[in-house]
């Protein structure tokens, strides 16, 4: 028993969890957990502050990686095997449909949640100093998420996949000068074919996930270094701008001016806990507002993880990912639609190729990247930011409205069709 305890201690190297020191050490002596501070602000744990949307996005990505690796065992990225492997998954592989469904619904979920997470960060003004750069990292993550979903769309090699990617890459090719070349580089030719499938596969399973992992690490690191989550607006009050750190015993205390304190920091330099005071970085008043990450933050995150996995599993039990006939370049479905998140752009393209293919996407990305640097208003209170909130809300509503129009109101020849007239024009 003593030996087992010694081995366990050599691995965890910390005091028992019943002590405050043990709870802190659990976090900062653990390679995975030390992305958290040992203590967090109570109000930041409230569901209504962040809706845990960043975590849900991250957990969906984990589901995608795990189910994706399993799918790779059954999938060969060249036609017509790619399609046949899909059929095998559907009919021959044990729990194949469930695996494929989980991957598909988690992918759609990630696109939705990353967008909602961005909206939460915007509406709470959490992109403001010192978090400007993390917002930019976030925008890149949003683009990578769309890229991951788009490249995965082609892999089943059915009619839906083939024509969605044909339409999607056509939208991109309207960009002046480089549009055509970019499309050719992506497709490995003039049209979607064998080369395109292989390139999309490489991007989907290697390049883009690696970039997402890399940027997610930077993103989390910045959340931590920017002082944890921004304080909920209702809790903001004027804070002192300077911190005094006192080193040594009180009698020989040397006040040392370190730096201007962040007004909404959720942790100190190091988490020093009752019983072992070496130095102090937070006031007793702030200390009262905090709780140990273990168990308070971890339990909530575990619940969110279980909720996310359960939701995706339930969806996968009851809803099947579509699989149409094998891709056929000679038979164009009418209408051929891009993946749903690009349907707003396709709707714009139907009015003006330049607007939908170039101006709107370029403006959207540039505007998103520029937001934290152009919005100089330091206040995060909604009352002080009325017009920015209106502009952003307009952007969100316009995006959603165009996607709804493209999804439900467009029929053959891209003509206006009310959704209750269920017209799905089948290829001849
Ligand atoms: C793969 C995509 C992403 C993942 C996995 C992710 C994950 C997270 C997590 C776990 C947090 C802390 C908890 C929370 O807010 O729920 C967070 C915070 C943050 N995220 Fe993201 N995020 C992603 C994309 C984005 C996007 C698209 C943006 C904005 C364009 C963004 C901007 C931020 C900012 C500024 C914070 C700090 C918020 C604050 O201090 O309140 N993130 N992210």
């Amino acid at each position: 028993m003593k030996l087992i305890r010694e081995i366990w201690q050599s691995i965890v190297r910390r005091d028992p969890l019943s002590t405050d020191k043990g709870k802190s050490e659990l976090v900062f002596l653990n390679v995975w957990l030390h992305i958290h501070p040992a203590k967090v602000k109570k109000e930041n744990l409230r569901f209504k502050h962040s809706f845990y949307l960043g975590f849900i996005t991250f957990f969906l990505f984990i589901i995608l990686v795990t189910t994706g690796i399993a799918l790779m065992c059954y999938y060969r990225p060249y036609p017509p095997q790619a399609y046949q492997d899909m059929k095998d998954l559907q009919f021959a592989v044990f729990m194949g449909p469930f695996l494929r469904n989980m991957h598909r619904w988690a992918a759609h979920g990630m696109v939705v949640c990353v967008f909602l997470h961005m909206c939460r960060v915007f509406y709470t003004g959490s992109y403001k100093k010192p978090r400007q750069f993390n917002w930019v990292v976030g925008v890149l993550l949003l683009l990578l998420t769309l890229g991951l979903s788009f490249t995965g769309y082609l892999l089943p090699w059915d009619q839906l996949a083939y024509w969605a990617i044909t339409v999607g890459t056509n939208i991109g090719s309207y960009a002046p000068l480089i549009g055509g070349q970019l499309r050719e580089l992506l497709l490995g030719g003039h049209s979607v074919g064998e080369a395109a499938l292989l390139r999309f596969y490489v991007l989907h399973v290697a390049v883009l996930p690696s970039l997402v992992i890399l940027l997610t690490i930077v993103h989390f690191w910045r959340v931590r270094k920017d002082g944890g989550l921004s304080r909920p607006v209702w809790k903001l009050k004027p804070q002192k701008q300077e911190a005094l750190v006192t080193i040594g015993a009180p009698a020989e205390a040397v006040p040392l001016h370190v730096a201007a304190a962040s007004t909404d920091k959720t942790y100190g330099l190091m988490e020093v806990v009752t019983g072992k005071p070496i130095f102090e970085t937070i006031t007793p008043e702030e200390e009262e507002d905090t709780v140990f990450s273990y168990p308070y933050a971890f339990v909530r995150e575990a619940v969110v993880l279980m909720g996310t996995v359960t939701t995706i599993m339930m969806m996968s039990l009851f809803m099947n990912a579509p699989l149409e006939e094998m891709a056929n370049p000679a038979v164009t479905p009418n209408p051929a639609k891009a993946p749903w998140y690009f349907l707003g752009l396709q709707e714009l393209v139907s009015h003006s190729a330049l607007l939908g293919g170039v101006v709107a996407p370029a403006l959207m990305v540039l505007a998103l990247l520029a937001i934290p640097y152009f919005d100089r208003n330091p206040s995060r209170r909604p009352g002080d930011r009325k017009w920015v909130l209106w502009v952003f809300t307009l952007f969100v509503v316009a995006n959603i409205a165009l996607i709804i129009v493209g999804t439900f109101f467009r029929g053959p020849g891209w003509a206006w069709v009310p959704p209750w007239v269920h017209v799905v024009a089948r290829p001849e």
Side-chain angles (χ1 to χ4, degrees):
M1 200 60 200
K2 213 173 149 211
L3 180 67
I4 294 178
R5 194 173 308 140
E6 199 182 324
I7 295 173
W8 177 244
Q9 266 303 320
S10 75
I11 300 168
V12 299
R13 284 178 295 141
R14 62 166 163 74
D15 284 7
L17 283 175
S18 51
T19 67
D20 283 356
K21 187 161 167 279
K23 285 177 197 159
S24 301
E25 285 178 345
L26 171 81
V27 177
F28 61 74
L29 293 184
N30 182 298
V31 66
W32 306 112
L33 300 184
H34 88 278
I35 194 86
H36 279 283
K39 290 183 119 184
V40 286
K41 282 223 154 67
K42 275 183 211 161
E43 74 259 18
N44 282 348
L45 295 180
R46 293 238 202 112
F47 185 73
K48 73 169 181 186
H49 177 46
S50 70
F51 304 104
Y52 284 77
L53 282 163
F55 282 103
I56 297 176
T57 309
F58 176 63
F59 295 145
L60 287 170
F61 180 67
I62 303 286
I63 296 177
L64 284 167
V65 172
T66 41
T67 52
I69 290 172
L71 284 172
M72 280 170 78
C73 301
Y74 299 100
Y75 179 81
R76 288 161 293 174
Y78 40 90
Q81 274 80 1
Y83 182 73
Q84 274 147 23
D85 291 342
M86 285 294 129
K87 282 277 176 208
D88 280 356
L89 268 167
Q90 207 170 9
F91 297 112
V93 176
F94 175 64
M95 289 184 62
F98 184 68
L99 186 62
R100 191 172 161 238
N101 292 347
M102 275 196 77
H103 196 74
R104 172 69 68 122
W105 304 137
H108 287 320
M110 189 171 166
V111 174
V112 174
C113 289
V114 75
F115 184 75
L116 293 177
H117 170 59
M118 180 180 77
C119 294
R120 187 296 279 178
V121 172
F122 185 88
Y123 283 115
T124 54
S126 306
Y127 55 86
K128 298 191 180 215
K129 209 171 173 185
R131 299 182 172 79
Q132 303 100 312
F133 180 66
N134 213 13
W135 169 272
V136 172
V137 174
V139 175
L140 299 180
L141 278 168
L142 170 77
L143 297 178
L144 285 173
T145 306
L146 291 177
L148 261 179
S149 180
F150 186 65
T151 49
Y153 224 89
L154 183 63
L155 305 187
W157 202 248
D158 63 346
Q159 277 289 74
L160 188 70
Y162 185 90
W163 289 102
I165 299 306
T166 303
V167 174
T169 50
N170 276 344
I171 295 177
S173 70
Y174 295 122
L177 303 177
I178 50 161
Q181 271 117 321
L182 268 183
R183 181 173 193 267
E184 220 172 300
L185 181 72
L186 189 63
L187 298 184
H190 293 297
S191 59
V192 180
E194 202 169 318
L197 183 56
L198 188 58
R199 283 175 193 213
F200 272 55
Y201 179 73
V202 172
L203 285 171
H204 187 73
V205 305
V207 180
L208 296 176
S210 312
L211 289 175
V212 169
I213 291 169
L214 202 79
L215 283 189
T216 302
I217 293 171
V218 177
H219 195 57
F220 287 3
W221 174 251
R222 290 300 297 227
V223 171
R224 179 92 157 76
K225 292 296 151 185
D226 292 340
L229 279 196
S230 57
R231 294 194 80 180
V233 173
W234 64 88
K235 282 280 175 185
L236 285 177
K237 50 187 172 212
Q239 302 254 329
K240 65 178 169 61
Q241 293 299 309
E242 292 183 335
L244 282 182
V245 173
T246 310
I247 296 178
E252 51 191 90
V254 185
L256 169 68
H257 182 220
V258 196
S262 158
T263 49
D264 52 5
K265 233 170 163 46
T266 55
Y267 62 96
L269 260 183
M270 280 278 278
E271 261 55 42
V272 181
V273 294
T274 326
K276 301 262 174 187
I278 303 170
F279 54 76
E280 290 172 10
T281 57
I282 48 177
T283 62
E285 184 195 32
E286 281 176 329
E287 171 75 22
E288 256 180 35
D289 276 354
T290 62
V291 286
F292 281 101
S293 292
Y294 172 84
Y296 300 100
F298 295 149
V299 165
R300 281 167 176 76
E301 284 156 27
V303 169
V304 172
L305 171 64
M306 285 188 288
T308 310
V309 175
T310 312
T311 308
I312 295 297
M313 281 180 150
M314 295 309 280
M315 287 174 72
S316 306
L317 277 179
F318 298 110
M319 285 157 60
N320 278 328
L323 186 66
E324 297 189 351
E325 301 86 42
M326 188 159 70
N328 186 348
V331 180
T332 316
N334 189 6
K337 291 190 179 183
W340 62 267
Y341 40 83
F342 287 149
L343 279 180
L345 292 182
Q346 190 176 356
E347 175 63 25
L348 292 179
V349 165
S350 72
H351 301 281
S352 152
L354 188 72
L355 178 67
V358 187
V359 179
L363 272 184
M364 274 196 275
V365 173
L366 287 178
L368 283 177
L369 289 172
I371 283 173
Y373 302 102
F374 278 85
D375 179 5
R376 318 294 290 178
N377 174 4
S379 172
R380 290 177 39 224
R381 288 172 207 282
D384 302 337
R385 320 169 45 219
K386 281 192 188 124
W387 80 265
V388 215
L389 294 184
W390 273 110
V391 173
F392 189 78
T393 306
L394 198 71
F395 159 81
V396 172
V397 172
N399 258 295
I400 296 175
L402 285 175
I403 289 175
I404 291 176
V405 168
T407 310
F408 299 109
F409 290 86
R410 291 300 184 185
W414 210 251
W416 186 267
V417 175
W420 51 91
V421 180
H422 189 63
V423 182
V424 181
R426 287 265 140 218
E428 301 290 297

